[in-house]
Amino acid sequence: VYNAAPAWGVTVGDALGVPDPVLTQHQHQHQGQTFSFLGVRVSSPLSLVVNGRRPPGSALAPPRLALSNPSAPL
């Protein structure tokens, strides 16, 4: 689950409700083999319903800021 906190997740056997899913077909080729699979995306792990309940706010990964300046001297 993208953007989920490392300490949060779902386990085998959990009932998972996915409101407003975006279904995407992925197809990749690597070393002569084709890999095809479906992906489901949601806007946030907080929009899921796990075992009839919404995840707590702590299920969302904290934001991280990454800066890059390729022209800066080393």
Side-chain angles (χ1 to χ4, degrees), residues 5-63:
W8 181 85
V10 294
T11 58
V12 173
D14 283 346
L16 185 63
V18 183
D20 300 321
V22 176
L23 186 65
T24 305
Q25 173 74 41
H26 298 272
Q27 194 164 6
H28 302 279
Q29 291 186 351
H30 179 70
Q31 296 181 347
Q33 292 186 328
T34 299
F35 301 92
S36 180
F37 58 93
L38 294 174
V40 178
R41 295 201 66 145
V42 294
S43 60
S44 164
L46 299 181
S47 67
L48 298 173
V49 178
V50 182
N51 297 324
R53 303 175 76 176
R54 295 270 185 196
S58 60
L60 187 62

